[in-house]
mmCIF file of all heavy atoms in Angstrom:
data_model
loop_
_atom_site.group_PDB
_atom_site.id
_atom_site.type_symbol
_atom_site.label_atom_id
_atom_site.label_comp_id
_atom_site.label_asym_id
_atom_site.label_seq_id
_atom_site.Cartn_x
_atom_site.Cartn_y
_atom_site.Cartn_z
ATOM 1 N N LEU X 1 10.819 -11.744 -15.880
ATOM 2 C CA LEU X 1 10.089 -11.409 -14.667
ATOM 3 C C LEU X 1 9.907 -9.923 -14.392
ATOM 4 O O LEU X 1 10.879 -9.154 -14.740
ATOM 5 C CB LEU X 1 10.764 -12.078 -13.447
ATOM 6 C CG LEU X 1 10.843 -13.635 -13.544
ATOM 7 C CD1 LEU X 1 11.709 -14.172 -12.444
ATOM 8 C CD2 LEU X 1 9.424 -14.229 -13.442
ATOM 9 N N ASP X 2 8.841 -9.549 -13.825
ATOM 10 C CA ASP X 2 8.651 -8.140 -13.417
ATOM 11 C C ASP X 2 9.369 -7.887 -12.083
ATOM 12 O O ASP X 2 9.079 -8.535 -11.098
ATOM 13 C CB ASP X 2 7.142 -7.827 -13.260
ATOM 14 C CG ASP X 2 6.350 -7.999 -14.581
ATOM 15 O OD1 ASP X 2 6.996 -7.760 -15.644
ATOM 16 O OD2 ASP X 2 5.197 -8.347 -14.586
ATOM 17 N N MET X 3 10.209 -6.922 -12.057
ATOM 18 C CA MET X 3 11.136 -6.698 -10.916
ATOM 19 C C MET X 3 11.582 -5.258 -10.850
ATOM 20 O O MET X 3 11.916 -4.653 -11.875
ATOM 21 C CB MET X 3 12.345 -7.629 -10.997
ATOM 22 C CG MET X 3 13.440 -7.376 -9.916
ATOM 23 S SD MET X 3 12.867 -7.912 -8.288
ATOM 24 C CE MET X 3 12.662 -9.674 -8.634
ATOM 25 N N THR X 4 11.495 -4.671 -9.662
ATOM 26 C CA THR X 4 12.019 -3.329 -9.466
ATOM 27 C C THR X 4 13.079 -3.416 -8.384
ATOM 28 O O THR X 4 12.864 -3.902 -7.297
ATOM 29 C CB THR X 4 10.936 -2.363 -8.944
ATOM 30 O OG1 THR X 4 9.872 -2.224 -10.008
ATOM 31 C CG2 THR X 4 11.498 -0.991 -8.725
ATOM 32 N N ILE X 5 14.359 -3.039 -8.775
ATOM 33 C CA ILE X 5 15.478 -3.164 -7.845
ATOM 34 C C ILE X 5 16.014 -1.789 -7.547
ATOM 35 O O ILE X 5 16.384 -1.047 -8.442
ATOM 36 C CB ILE X 5 16.622 -3.959 -8.529
ATOM 37 C CG1 ILE X 5 16.095 -5.411 -8.923
ATOM 38 C CG2 ILE X 5 17.772 -4.148 -7.566
ATOM 39 C CD1 ILE X 5 17.099 -6.193 -9.696
ATOM 40 N N PHE X 6 16.033 -1.440 -6.208
ATOM 41 C CA PHE X 6 16.725 -0.288 -5.756
ATOM 42 C C PHE X 6 18.081 -0.626 -5.224
ATOM 43 O O PHE X 6 18.147 -1.358 -4.256
ATOM 44 C CB PHE X 6 15.903 0.416 -4.645
ATOM 45 C CG PHE X 6 14.585 1.021 -5.116
ATOM 46 C CD1 PHE X 6 13.427 0.345 -5.110
ATOM 47 C CD2 PHE X 6 14.567 2.324 -5.645
ATOM 48 C CE1 PHE X 6 12.233 0.893 -5.593
ATOM 49 C CE2 PHE X 6 13.428 2.923 -6.089
ATOM 50 C CZ PHE X 6 12.197 2.203 -6.080
ATOM 51 N N ILE X 7 19.117 -0.223 -5.963
ATOM 52 C CA ILE X 7 20.457 -0.472 -5.579
ATOM 53 C C ILE X 7 20.970 0.708 -4.729
ATOM 54 O O ILE X 7 21.030 1.808 -5.220
ATOM 55 C CB ILE X 7 21.334 -0.672 -6.795
ATOM 56 C CG1 ILE X 7 20.796 -1.730 -7.658
ATOM 57 C CG2 ILE X 7 22.820 -1.017 -6.336
ATOM 58 C CD1 ILE X 7 21.562 -1.890 -9.064
ATOM 59 N N LEU X 8 21.292 0.395 -3.472
ATOM 60 C CA LEU X 8 21.755 1.479 -2.596
ATOM 61 C C LEU X 8 23.308 1.498 -2.571
ATOM 62 O O LEU X 8 23.913 0.528 -2.061
ATOM 63 C CB LEU X 8 21.251 1.215 -1.132
ATOM 64 C CG LEU X 8 19.678 0.966 -1.103
ATOM 65 C CD1 LEU X 8 19.235 0.761 0.332
ATOM 66 C CD2 LEU X 8 18.926 2.070 -1.831
ATOM 67 N N ASN X 9 23.831 2.493 -3.284
ATOM 68 C CA ASN X 9 25.267 2.541 -3.400
ATOM 69 C C ASN X 9 25.898 3.467 -2.330
ATOM 70 O O ASN X 9 25.776 4.734 -2.441
ATOM 71 C CB ASN X 9 25.627 3.076 -4.808
ATOM 72 C CG ASN X 9 27.049 2.831 -5.148
ATOM 73 O OD1 ASN X 9 27.953 2.912 -4.250
ATOM 74 N ND2 ASN X 9 27.334 2.684 -6.431
ATOM 75 N N ASN X 10 26.481 2.879 -1.354
ATOM 76 C CA ASN X 10 27.150 3.706 -0.294
ATOM 77 C C ASN X 10 28.636 3.354 -0.177
ATOM 78 O O ASN X 10 29.290 3.420 0.878
ATOM 79 C CB ASN X 10 26.499 3.513 1.074
ATOM 80 C CG ASN X 10 26.231 2.115 1.444
ATOM 81 O OD1 ASN X 10 26.783 1.170 0.837
ATOM 82 N ND2 ASN X 10 25.358 1.899 2.380
ATOM 83 N N ASN X 11 29.232 2.970 -1.311
ATOM 84 C CA ASN X 11 30.640 2.796 -1.476
ATOM 85 C C ASN X 11 31.255 1.702 -0.539
ATOM 86 O O ASN X 11 32.151 1.989 0.266
ATOM 87 C CB ASN X 11 31.344 4.199 -1.262
ATOM 88 C CG ASN X 11 32.788 4.149 -1.722
ATOM 89 O OD1 ASN X 11 33.156 3.321 -2.509
ATOM 90 N ND2 ASN X 11 33.616 5.008 -1.107
ATOM 91 N N GLY X 12 30.771 0.490 -0.558
ATOM 92 C CA GLY X 12 31.384 -0.584 0.199
ATOM 93 C C GLY X 12 30.379 -1.156 1.164
ATOM 94 O O GLY X 12 29.148 -0.901 1.172
ATOM 95 N N TYR X 13 30.941 -1.979 2.056
ATOM 96 C CA TYR X 13 30.170 -2.664 3.091
ATOM 97 C C TYR X 13 29.974 -1.774 4.334
ATOM 98 O O TYR X 13 30.741 -1.934 5.256
ATOM 99 C CB TYR X 13 30.823 -3.955 3.501
ATOM 100 C CG TYR X 13 30.987 -4.991 2.365
ATOM 101 C CD1 TYR X 13 32.244 -5.540 2.153
ATOM 102 C CD2 TYR X 13 29.889 -5.370 1.624
ATOM 103 C CE1 TYR X 13 32.439 -6.481 1.043
ATOM 104 C CE2 TYR X 13 30.053 -6.378 0.600
ATOM 105 C CZ TYR X 13 31.380 -6.833 0.371
ATOM 106 O OH TYR X 13 31.495 -7.771 -0.651
ATOM 107 N N THR X 14 28.938 -0.987 4.244
ATOM 108 C CA THR X 14 28.753 0.023 5.269
ATOM 109 C C THR X 14 28.448 -0.646 6.695
ATOM 110 O O THR X 14 29.040 -0.206 7.705
ATOM 111 C CB THR X 14 27.560 1.006 4.916
ATOM 112 O OG1 THR X 14 28.000 1.870 3.895
ATOM 113 C CG2 THR X 14 27.126 1.824 6.178
ATOM 114 N N ILE X 15 27.708 -1.765 6.647
ATOM 115 C CA ILE X 15 27.430 -2.414 7.944
ATOM 116 C C ILE X 15 28.683 -2.933 8.613
ATOM 117 O O ILE X 15 28.860 -2.793 9.795
ATOM 118 C CB ILE X 15 26.340 -3.567 7.783
ATOM 119 C CG1 ILE X 15 26.000 -4.104 9.158
ATOM 120 C CG2 ILE X 15 26.875 -4.572 6.798
ATOM 121 C CD1 ILE X 15 24.830 -5.039 9.069
ATOM 122 N N GLU X 16 29.555 -3.442 7.798
ATOM 123 C CA GLU X 16 30.931 -3.933 8.279
ATOM 124 C C GLU X 16 31.794 -2.753 8.770
ATOM 125 O O GLU X 16 32.501 -2.830 9.685
ATOM 126 C CB GLU X 16 31.625 -4.749 7.199
ATOM 127 C CG GLU X 16 30.746 -5.798 6.573
ATOM 128 C CD GLU X 16 30.271 -6.942 7.502
ATOM 129 O OE1 GLU X 16 30.655 -6.869 8.715
ATOM 130 O OE2 GLU X 16 29.612 -7.865 7.020
ATOM 131 N N ARG X 17 31.718 -1.662 7.980
ATOM 132 C CA ARG X 17 32.487 -0.472 8.371
ATOM 133 C C ARG X 17 32.069 -0.011 9.770
ATOM 134 O O ARG X 17 32.930 0.404 10.529
ATOM 135 C CB ARG X 17 32.323 0.661 7.363
ATOM 136 C CG ARG X 17 32.816 0.399 5.944
ATOM 137 C CD ARG X 17 32.693 1.717 5.177
ATOM 138 N NE ARG X 17 32.931 1.511 3.707
ATOM 139 C CZ ARG X 17 34.081 1.336 3.125
ATOM 140 N NH1 ARG X 17 35.197 1.331 3.812
ATOM 141 N NH2 ARG X 17 34.052 1.211 1.791
ATOM 142 N N ILE X 18 30.775 -0.021 10.031
ATOM 143 C CA ILE X 18 30.327 0.511 11.294
ATOM 144 C C ILE X 18 30.723 -0.458 12.416
ATOM 145 O O ILE X 18 31.009 -0.031 13.520
ATOM 146 C CB ILE X 18 28.775 0.667 11.246
ATOM 147 C CG1 ILE X 18 28.434 1.747 10.252
ATOM 148 C CG2 ILE X 18 28.228 0.984 12.613
ATOM 149 C CD1 ILE X 18 26.914 1.911 9.991
ATOM 150 N N ILE X 19 30.774 -1.807 12.082
ATOM 151 C CA ILE X 19 31.157 -2.760 13.137
ATOM 152 C C ILE X 19 32.590 -2.622 13.415
ATOM 153 O O ILE X 19 33.099 -2.568 14.596
ATOM 154 C CB ILE X 19 30.824 -4.176 12.676
ATOM 155 C CG1 ILE X 19 29.302 -4.332 12.546
ATOM 156 C CG2 ILE X 19 31.347 -5.283 13.649
ATOM 157 C CD1 ILE X 19 28.805 -5.620 12.041
ATOM 158 N N HIS X 20 33.458 -2.619 12.333
ATOM 159 C CA HIS X 20 34.889 -2.552 12.532
ATOM 160 C C HIS X 20 35.589 -2.275 11.307
ATOM 161 O O HIS X 20 35.241 -2.758 10.219
ATOM 162 C CB HIS X 20 35.436 -3.963 13.108
ATOM 163 C CG HIS X 20 36.880 -3.941 13.358
ATOM 164 N ND1 HIS X 20 37.518 -3.418 14.424
ATOM 165 C CD2 HIS X 20 37.873 -4.507 12.618
ATOM 166 C CE1 HIS X 20 38.790 -3.497 14.358
ATOM 167 N NE2 HIS X 20 39.114 -4.261 13.290
ATOM 168 N N GLY X 21 36.647 -1.436 11.355
ATOM 169 C CA GLY X 21 37.499 -1.155 10.192
ATOM 170 C C GLY X 21 36.811 -0.260 9.170
ATOM 171 O O GLY X 21 36.698 -0.514 8.026
ATOM 172 N N PHE X 22 36.423 0.952 9.696
ATOM 173 C CA PHE X 22 35.605 1.849 8.848
ATOM 174 C C PHE X 22 36.385 2.152 7.486
ATOM 175 O O PHE X 22 35.765 2.162 6.440
ATOM 176 C CB PHE X 22 35.308 3.182 9.511
ATOM 177 C CG PHE X 22 34.324 4.013 8.790
ATOM 178 C CD1 PHE X 22 32.966 3.782 8.924
ATOM 179 C CD2 PHE X 22 34.688 5.000 7.897
ATOM 180 C CE1 PHE X 22 32.079 4.537 8.296
ATOM 181 C CE2 PHE X 22 33.773 5.710 7.224
ATOM 182 C CZ PHE X 22 32.472 5.517 7.345
ATOM 183 N N TYR X 23 37.697 2.449 7.568
ATOM 184 C CA TYR X 23 38.443 2.771 6.375
ATOM 185 C C TYR X 23 39.281 1.626 5.877
ATOM 186 O O TYR X 23 40.134 1.785 4.976
ATOM 187 C CB TYR X 23 39.306 3.992 6.625
ATOM 188 C CG TYR X 23 38.500 5.350 6.891
ATOM 189 C CD1 TYR X 23 38.446 5.825 8.189
ATOM 190 C CD2 TYR X 23 37.840 5.902 5.843
ATOM 191 C CE1 TYR X 23 37.639 6.956 8.438
ATOM 192 C CE2 TYR X 23 37.102 7.041 6.061
ATOM 193 C CZ TYR X 23 36.986 7.624 7.358
ATOM 194 O OH TYR X 23 36.237 8.716 7.569
ATOM 195 N N ALA X 24 39.091 0.434 6.457
ATOM 196 C CA ALA X 24 39.932 -0.691 6.016
ATOM 197 C C ALA X 24 39.564 -1.083 4.613
ATOM 198 O O ALA X 24 38.415 -1.129 4.214
ATOM 199 C CB ALA X 24 39.652 -1.827 6.989
ATOM 200 N N ASP X 25 40.622 -1.484 3.839
ATOM 201 C CA ASP X 25 40.388 -1.858 2.476
ATOM 202 C C ASP X 25 39.537 -3.101 2.317
ATOM 203 O O ASP X 25 38.982 -3.308 1.291
ATOM 204 C CB ASP X 25 41.653 -1.929 1.650
ATOM 205 C CG ASP X 25 42.620 -2.954 2.219
ATOM 206 O OD1 ASP X 25 42.285 -3.639 3.258
ATOM 207 O OD2 ASP X 25 43.738 -3.110 1.679
ATOM 208 N N TYR X 26 39.499 -3.949 3.336
ATOM 209 C CA TYR X 26 38.710 -5.138 3.229
ATOM 210 C C TYR X 26 37.243 -4.836 3.202
ATOM 211 O O TYR X 26 36.334 -5.745 2.948
ATOM 212 C CB TYR X 26 39.057 -6.203 4.281
ATOM 213 C CG TYR X 26 39.151 -5.712 5.730
ATOM 214 C CD1 TYR X 26 38.000 -5.359 6.415
ATOM 215 C CD2 TYR X 26 40.301 -5.556 6.365
ATOM 216 C CE1 TYR X 26 37.979 -4.860 7.755
ATOM 217 C CE2 TYR X 26 40.413 -5.222 7.734
ATOM 218 C CZ TYR X 26 39.185 -4.841 8.404
ATOM 219 O OH TYR X 26 39.293 -4.437 9.753
#
């Protein structure tokens, strides 16, 4: 299949970090 994937690498679950536990290992 023809596909273009942009992988945004921001070192973890940024949306969860912003909600709670910014530096938490989970």
Side-chain angles (χ1 to χ4, degrees):
L1 296 172
D2 297 329
M3 172 70 63
T4 300
I5 304 174
F6 290 93
I7 303 168
L8 310 183
N9 192 330
N10 49 15
N11 194 26
Y13 298 127
T14 290
I15 185 171
E16 312 294 2
R17 294 188 194 281
I18 294 173
I19 294 172
H20 180 77
F22 190 86
Y23 293 106
D25 57 3
Y26 49 71

